[in-house]
Amino acid sequence: MTAGRLRGAKVFRDTKGKTPDKSLVITFLLLMVTGLIVLYAASFYNAGAKGSKLTDVVSQLFGIMIGFILMMILWKMDVRILSFPVVSGWLLLVSFILLVLVAIPGIGVYINGSRRWLRIGPVSFQPSELAKYSLVLFMARVLSSPKRDISDFLKGLLPLFVVPGAMFLLILIQPNLSTAGSIIITSALMTMIAGARWLHLTIVGICGFAVGAYYAFSEPYRRARMISFLDPFKYFSNEGYQLAQSLMAFGSGGLFGMGLGRGRQKYSFLPYPESDFIFAIVGEDMGFIGCLLVMGLFMAFLFLGFRISLNEKDRFKSMLGAGIVLTISVQTVLNIFVVTGIMPTTGLPLPFFSAGGTSVSIVMGAVGILFNISSEQERL
């Protein structure tokens, strides 16, 4: 679709009498409210040192406000606008430029050994969050094209991974292996849904795993992190400390938890309780039952999102919706796996829960697209 046709297209659709799937909306709201409550319970101690116990919650609410505006715009927008190559092309270009900028010393903000943020005045922005969904849009457009034969490994499938591969490398140098890996996983799953052959995907998976393994073991501190997750208490004084504290949080919570806000790990024992390891606070404060309830909300949201995507007759909308749900799914699974010690420790926020204005606002915008797609469908 040319830029000229884009200028002549109708951006917003008539939403009168068209409402999103109510079950999806309710589940989304429950996740948002629960996430804010848990965020306060996880952050009030550390936030108090900044001047107010509500500092992180207020910052999150600011991100939610921006996310709500973005969500409403994308809900009312004609989704077909997003299928124009010029739209996905410009979003990809902006994402790549921002990823390059964040890697430049003096421009990218360096925090805790990583350069993942750009700062514009008082506001910090994480380009990888935008990059994830711009890639989903690109993949949805390409995979929905009738000219793309993804059963052909060399001409159809392999060229598809050039863009995800380039984005993978740019995010990897931040360094941010978890986000980089989630991008490749999501891209592979989208091609699988689109009909790629298992053998071809297995080859791509082996190559991706080899690159990730080389990266993980290429530096001493990364090797130590990989080894420490097998027995974090053995390496309690260094690389295993964070995971050991996380596991102690789950152990302290038991079946029903210590009570909301009453857990002890947030008191400077567990690093980043308000962000990457917030699910450990769920386990300590709300116990095993609370963890099941939170995971149940995620599973309900993901099930409803997949149902909407699979029921969509328009291939582009179907692939776009599936890509959004896969992105949230992969991120959720990886975060919970890290916090519970199933995979090595790495930084990846839990959607709807972890502190981070960029993450919550962009996720809300993506959810707005799901609302858009569902509101055009007939109710089953």
Side-chain angles (χ1 to χ4, degrees), residues 145-165:
S145 172
K147 298 179 181 179
R148 174 70 58 171
D149 181 13
I150 58 173
S151 63
D152 187 324
F153 181 72
L154 293 178
K155 296 181 180 179
L157 183 64
L158 199 57
L160 263 181
F161 283 90
V162 172
V163 174

PDB file of all heavy atoms in Angstrom, residues 145-165:
ATOM      1  N   SER A 145       0.629 -11.839   3.781  1.00  0.00           N
ATOM      2  CA  SER A 145       0.722 -11.591   2.342  1.00  0.00           C
ATOM      3  C   SER A 145       0.572 -12.903   1.565  1.00  0.00           C
ATOM      4  O   SER A 145       1.264 -13.883   1.849  1.00  0.00           O
ATOM      5  CB  SER A 145       2.071 -10.949   2.005  1.00  0.00           C
ATOM      6  OG  SER A 145       2.254 -10.877   0.604  1.00  0.00           O
ATOM      7  N   PRO A 146      -0.293 -12.941   0.560  1.00  0.00           N
ATOM      8  CA  PRO A 146      -0.460 -14.170  -0.242  1.00  0.00           C
ATOM      9  C   PRO A 146       0.781 -14.494  -1.080  1.00  0.00           C
ATOM     10  O   PRO A 146       0.934 -15.615  -1.559  1.00  0.00           O
ATOM     11  CB  PRO A 146      -1.664 -13.848  -1.127  1.00  0.00           C
ATOM     12  CG  PRO A 146      -1.716 -12.357  -1.188  1.00  0.00           C
ATOM     13  CD  PRO A 146      -1.203 -11.869   0.131  1.00  0.00           C
ATOM     14  N   LYS A 147       1.681 -13.518  -1.230  1.00  0.00           N
ATOM     15  CA  LYS A 147       2.885 -13.728  -2.024  1.00  0.00           C
ATOM     16  C   LYS A 147       3.985 -14.429  -1.232  1.00  0.00           C
ATOM     17  O   LYS A 147       4.984 -14.857  -1.815  1.00  0.00           O
ATOM     18  CB  LYS A 147       3.412 -12.386  -2.537  1.00  0.00           C
ATOM     19  CG  LYS A 147       2.446 -11.649  -3.464  1.00  0.00           C
ATOM     20  CD  LYS A 147       3.033 -10.320  -3.905  1.00  0.00           C
ATOM     21  CE  LYS A 147       2.054  -9.569  -4.810  1.00  0.00           C
ATOM     22  NZ  LYS A 147       2.615  -8.251  -5.240  1.00  0.00           N
ATOM     23  N   ARG A 148       3.820 -14.527   0.076  1.00  0.00           N
ATOM     24  CA  ARG A 148       4.855 -15.114   0.922  1.00  0.00           C
ATOM     25  C   ARG A 148       4.603 -16.604   1.105  1.00  0.00           C
ATOM     26  O   ARG A 148       3.613 -17.002   1.714  1.00  0.00           O
ATOM     27  CB  ARG A 148       4.859 -14.426   2.285  1.00  0.00           C
ATOM     28  CG  ARG A 148       5.788 -15.023   3.328  1.00  0.00           C
ATOM     29  CD  ARG A 148       7.250 -14.801   3.026  1.00  0.00           C
ATOM     30  NE  ARG A 148       7.586 -13.389   2.912  1.00  0.00           N
ATOM     31  CZ  ARG A 148       8.822 -12.923   2.820  1.00  0.00           C
ATOM     32  NH1 ARG A 148       9.836 -13.774   2.807  1.00  0.00           N
ATOM     33  NH2 ARG A 148       9.040 -11.631   2.715  1.00  0.00           N
ATOM     34  N   ASP A 149       5.495 -17.421   0.583  1.00  0.00           N
ATOM     35  CA  ASP A 149       5.409 -18.874   0.741  1.00  0.00           C
ATOM     36  C   ASP A 149       6.404 -19.295   1.830  1.00  0.00           C
ATOM     37  O   ASP A 149       7.587 -19.527   1.548  1.00  0.00           O
ATOM     38  CB  ASP A 149       5.727 -19.572  -0.583  1.00  0.00           C
ATOM     39  CG  ASP A 149       5.635 -21.097  -0.476  1.00  0.00           C
ATOM     40  OD1 ASP A 149       5.093 -21.578   0.543  1.00  0.00           O
ATOM     41  OD2 ASP A 149       6.113 -21.788  -1.398  1.00  0.00           O
ATOM     42  N   ILE A 150       5.932 -19.412   3.059  1.00  0.00           N
ATOM     43  CA  ILE A 150       6.846 -19.723   4.159  1.00  0.00           C
ATOM     44  C   ILE A 150       7.187 -21.213   4.235  1.00  0.00           C
ATOM     45  O   ILE A 150       7.969 -21.631   5.088  1.00  0.00           O
ATOM     46  CB  ILE A 150       6.283 -19.253   5.515  1.00  0.00           C
ATOM     47  CG1 ILE A 150       4.915 -19.893   5.786  1.00  0.00           C
ATOM     48  CG2 ILE A 150       6.203 -17.759   5.583  1.00  0.00           C
ATOM     49  CD1 ILE A 150       4.414 -19.600   7.180  1.00  0.00           C
ATOM     50  N   SER A 151       6.599 -22.007   3.341  1.00  0.00           N
ATOM     51  CA  SER A 151       6.995 -23.413   3.281  1.00  0.00           C
ATOM     52  C   SER A 151       8.335 -23.568   2.553  1.00  0.00           C
ATOM     53  O   SER A 151       8.979 -24.608   2.625  1.00  0.00           O
ATOM     54  CB  SER A 151       5.928 -24.251   2.575  1.00  0.00           C
ATOM     55  OG  SER A 151       5.780 -23.842   1.224  1.00  0.00           O
ATOM     56  N   ASP A 152       8.742 -22.498   1.849  1.00  0.00           N
ATOM     57  CA  ASP A 152      10.039 -22.472   1.173  1.00  0.00           C
ATOM     58  C   ASP A 152      11.066 -21.908   2.151  1.00  0.00           C
ATOM     59  O   ASP A 152      11.012 -20.723   2.483  1.00  0.00           O
ATOM     60  CB  ASP A 152       9.946 -21.609  -0.088  1.00  0.00           C
ATOM     61  CG  ASP A 152      11.214 -21.681  -0.939  1.00  0.00           C
ATOM     62  OD1 ASP A 152      12.317 -21.760  -0.360  1.00  0.00           O
ATOM     63  OD2 ASP A 152      11.101 -21.653  -2.170  1.00  0.00           O
ATOM     64  N   PHE A 153      11.998 -22.733   2.598  1.00  0.00           N
ATOM     65  CA  PHE A 153      12.938 -22.329   3.651  1.00  0.00           C
ATOM     66  C   PHE A 153      13.845 -21.180   3.209  1.00  0.00           C
ATOM     67  O   PHE A 153      13.981 -20.173   3.922  1.00  0.00           O
ATOM     68  CB  PHE A 153      13.788 -23.521   4.086  1.00  0.00           C
ATOM     69  CG  PHE A 153      14.764 -23.198   5.186  1.00  0.00           C
ATOM     70  CD1 PHE A 153      14.324 -22.972   6.483  1.00  0.00           C
ATOM     71  CD2 PHE A 153      16.123 -23.120   4.916  1.00  0.00           C
ATOM     72  CE1 PHE A 153      15.220 -22.662   7.497  1.00  0.00           C
ATOM     73  CE2 PHE A 153      17.031 -22.819   5.926  1.00  0.00           C
ATOM     74  CZ  PHE A 153      16.586 -22.584   7.218  1.00  0.00           C
ATOM     75  N   LEU A 154      14.468 -21.304   2.037  1.00  0.00           N
ATOM     76  CA  LEU A 154      15.468 -20.328   1.615  1.00  0.00           C
ATOM     77  C   LEU A 154      14.847 -19.021   1.120  1.00  0.00           C
ATOM     78  O   LEU A 154      15.358 -17.930   1.414  1.00  0.00           O
ATOM     79  CB  LEU A 154      16.356 -20.920   0.515  1.00  0.00           C
ATOM     80  CG  LEU A 154      17.270 -22.073   0.948  1.00  0.00           C
ATOM     81  CD1 LEU A 154      18.060 -22.602  -0.247  1.00  0.00           C
ATOM     82  CD2 LEU A 154      18.233 -21.600   2.045  1.00  0.00           C
ATOM     83  N   LYS A 155      13.742 -19.099   0.391  1.00  0.00           N
ATOM     84  CA  LYS A 155      13.144 -17.901  -0.197  1.00  0.00           C
ATOM     85  C   LYS A 155      11.999 -17.312   0.631  1.00  0.00           C
ATOM     86  O   LYS A 155      11.733 -16.112   0.561  1.00  0.00           O
ATOM     87  CB  LYS A 155      12.639 -18.216  -1.608  1.00  0.00           C
ATOM     88  CG  LYS A 155      13.745 -18.594  -2.585  1.00  0.00           C
ATOM     89  CD  LYS A 155      13.159 -18.865  -3.960  1.00  0.00           C
ATOM     90  CE  LYS A 155      14.266 -19.250  -4.967  1.00  0.00           C
ATOM     91  NZ  LYS A 155      13.712 -19.533  -6.308  1.00  0.00           N
ATOM     92  N   GLY A 156      11.322 -18.170   1.401  1.00  0.00           N
ATOM     93  CA  GLY A 156      10.151 -17.695   2.137  1.00  0.00           C
ATOM     94  C   GLY A 156      10.386 -17.475   3.609  1.00  0.00           C
ATOM     95  O   GLY A 156      10.093 -16.406   4.153  1.00  0.00           O
ATOM     96  N   LEU A 157      10.940 -18.488   4.297  1.00  0.00           N
ATOM     97  CA  LEU A 157      11.057 -18.418   5.756  1.00  0.00           C
ATOM     98  C   LEU A 157      12.319 -17.699   6.231  1.00  0.00           C
ATOM     99  O   LEU A 157      12.248 -16.794   7.066  1.00  0.00           O
ATOM    100  CB  LEU A 157      11.025 -19.825   6.353  1.00  0.00           C
ATOM    101  CG  LEU A 157      11.076 -19.912   7.884  1.00  0.00           C
ATOM    102  CD1 LEU A 157       9.830 -19.280   8.493  1.00  0.00           C
ATOM    103  CD2 LEU A 157      11.216 -21.363   8.337  1.00  0.00           C
ATOM    104  N   LEU A 158      13.459 -18.089   5.701  1.00  0.00           N
ATOM    105  CA  LEU A 158      14.729 -17.557   6.190  1.00  0.00           C
ATOM    106  C   LEU A 158      14.821 -16.030   6.084  1.00  0.00           C
ATOM    107  O   LEU A 158      15.261 -15.377   7.046  1.00  0.00           O
ATOM    108  CB  LEU A 158      15.888 -18.220   5.444  1.00  0.00           C
ATOM    109  CG  LEU A 158      17.269 -18.119   6.117  1.00  0.00           C
ATOM    110  CD1 LEU A 158      17.229 -18.711   7.512  1.00  0.00           C
ATOM    111  CD2 LEU A 158      18.323 -18.808   5.257  1.00  0.00           C
ATOM    112  N   PRO A 159      14.419 -15.422   4.955  1.00  0.00           N
ATOM    113  CA  PRO A 159      14.480 -13.952   4.871  1.00  0.00           C
ATOM    114  C   PRO A 159      13.622 -13.256   5.924  1.00  0.00           C
ATOM    115  O   PRO A 159      13.905 -12.116   6.297  1.00  0.00           O
ATOM    116  CB  PRO A 159      13.957 -13.657   3.461  1.00  0.00           C
ATOM    117  CG  PRO A 159      14.220 -14.901   2.688  1.00  0.00           C
ATOM    118  CD  PRO A 159      14.020 -16.024   3.666  1.00  0.00           C
ATOM    119  N   LEU A 160      12.566 -13.961   6.393  1.00  0.00           N
ATOM    120  CA  LEU A 160      11.696 -13.376   7.419  1.00  0.00           C
ATOM    121  C   LEU A 160      12.448 -13.087   8.712  1.00  0.00           C
ATOM    122  O   LEU A 160      12.082 -12.173   9.449  1.00  0.00           O
ATOM    123  CB  LEU A 160      10.532 -14.342   7.732  1.00  0.00           C
ATOM    124  CG  LEU A 160       9.210 -14.110   7.033  1.00  0.00           C
ATOM    125  CD1 LEU A 160       8.207 -15.153   7.496  1.00  0.00           C
ATOM    126  CD2 LEU A 160       8.689 -12.717   7.309  1.00  0.00           C
ATOM    127  N   PHE A 161      13.488 -13.855   9.000  1.00  0.00           N
ATOM    128  CA  PHE A 161      14.193 -13.716  10.266  1.00  0.00           C
ATOM    129  C   PHE A 161      15.360 -12.723  10.201  1.00  0.00           C
ATOM    130  O   PHE A 161      16.076 -12.553  11.183  1.00  0.00           O
ATOM    131  CB  PHE A 161      14.688 -15.084  10.748  1.00  0.00           C
ATOM    132  CG  PHE A 161      13.605 -15.918  11.351  1.00  0.00           C
ATOM    133  CD1 PHE A 161      12.854 -16.786  10.567  1.00  0.00           C
ATOM    134  CD2 PHE A 161      13.309 -15.826  12.706  1.00  0.00           C
ATOM    135  CE1 PHE A 161      11.834 -17.543  11.120  1.00  0.00           C
ATOM    136  CE2 PHE A 161      12.284 -16.572  13.264  1.00  0.00           C
ATOM    137  CZ  PHE A 161      11.548 -17.442  12.474  1.00  0.00           C
ATOM    138  N   VAL A 162      15.509 -12.056   9.062  1.00  0.00           N
ATOM    139  CA  VAL A 162      16.554 -11.032   8.967  1.00  0.00           C
ATOM    140  C   VAL A 162      16.242  -9.860   9.895  1.00  0.00           C
ATOM    141  O   VAL A 162      17.103  -9.396  10.656  1.00  0.00           O
ATOM    142  CB  VAL A 162      16.698 -10.537   7.506  1.00  0.00           C
ATOM    143  CG1 VAL A 162      17.634  -9.335   7.441  1.00  0.00           C
ATOM    144  CG2 VAL A 162      17.206 -11.658   6.613  1.00  0.00           C
ATOM    145  N   VAL A 163      15.009  -9.375   9.851  1.00  0.00           N
ATOM    146  CA  VAL A 163      14.617  -8.240  10.697  1.00  0.00           C
ATOM    147  C   VAL A 163      14.616  -8.625  12.177  1.00  0.00           C
ATOM    148  O   VAL A 163      15.219  -7.922  12.999  1.00  0.00           O
ATOM    149  CB  VAL A 163      13.250  -7.687  10.266  1.00  0.00           C
ATOM    150  CG1 VAL A 163      12.767  -6.614  11.234  1.00  0.00           C
ATOM    151  CG2 VAL A 163      13.342  -7.109   8.852  1.00  0.00           C
ATOM    152  N   PRO A 164      13.953  -9.745  12.573  1.00  0.00           N
ATOM    153  CA  PRO A 164      14.048 -10.152  13.986  1.00  0.00           C
ATOM    154  C   PRO A 164      15.486 -10.399  14.421  1.00  0.00           C
ATOM    155  O   PRO A 164      15.862 -10.072  15.551  1.00  0.00           O
ATOM    156  CB  PRO A 164      13.225 -11.448  14.032  1.00  0.00           C
ATOM    157  CG  PRO A 164      12.297 -11.363  12.883  1.00  0.00           C
ATOM    158  CD  PRO A 164      13.050 -10.627  11.820  1.00  0.00           C
ATOM    159  N   GLY A 165      16.313 -10.961  13.525  1.00  0.00           N
ATOM    160  CA  GLY A 165      17.707 -11.223  13.866  1.00  0.00           C
ATOM    161  C   GLY A 165      18.484  -9.944  14.128  1.00  0.00           C
ATOM    162  O   GLY A 165      19.285  -9.863  15.074  1.00  0.00           O
TER     163      GLY A 165
END
